[in-house]
Amino acid sequence: MSTPLLMTRLYRPLPRVNAVTRPRLMEQLDEGLRHGRRLTLVSAPAGFGKTILAAEWVSRAGRDVAWLSADEEDNDPK
């Protein structure tokens, strides 16, 4: 039995005003754009700020993006 996709998983979170800035990581993400990369994977353990980083970067990039929040259950092919 498949679970319907929640619409909230398709919207990126708004950047937080009190978030820790990570200029080095932002520069690395920008570098991917400059080199024409169309996909970027951000990987780190839970709680390391991946979502906040990506949301901040996307808001600064001024480009069209697709956003999908995935979780562990999405790894099951059934």
Side-chain angles (χ1 to χ4, degrees):
M1 183 173 161
S2 66
T3 304
L5 181 65
L6 295 173
M7 292 304 294
T8 56
R9 295 176 66 185
L10 300 176
Y11 296 98
R12 69 176 167 86
L14 297 174
R16 298 182 183 175
V17 292
N18 61 348
V20 174
T21 58
R22 298 187 170 172
R24 185 181 61 81
L25 295 175
M26 293 292 228
E27 177 58 33
Q28 288 178 324
L29 292 169
D30 288 338
E31 185 177 332
L33 284 179
R34 284 192 297 274
H35 289 191
R37 296 183 186 126
R38 296 174 53 171
L39 176 69
T40 298
L41 173 66
V42 178
S43 177
F48 273 60
K50 299 174 298 290
T51 300
I52 294 170
L53 173 70
E56 181 182 351
W57 179 66
V58 165
S59 71
R60 291 181 180 188
R63 293 175 162 237
D64 292 332
V65 298
W67 188 279
L68 174 63
S69 297
D71 59 30
E72 189 173 322
E73 294 173 1
D74 296 321
N75 200 29
D76 186 1
K78 295 179 187 176

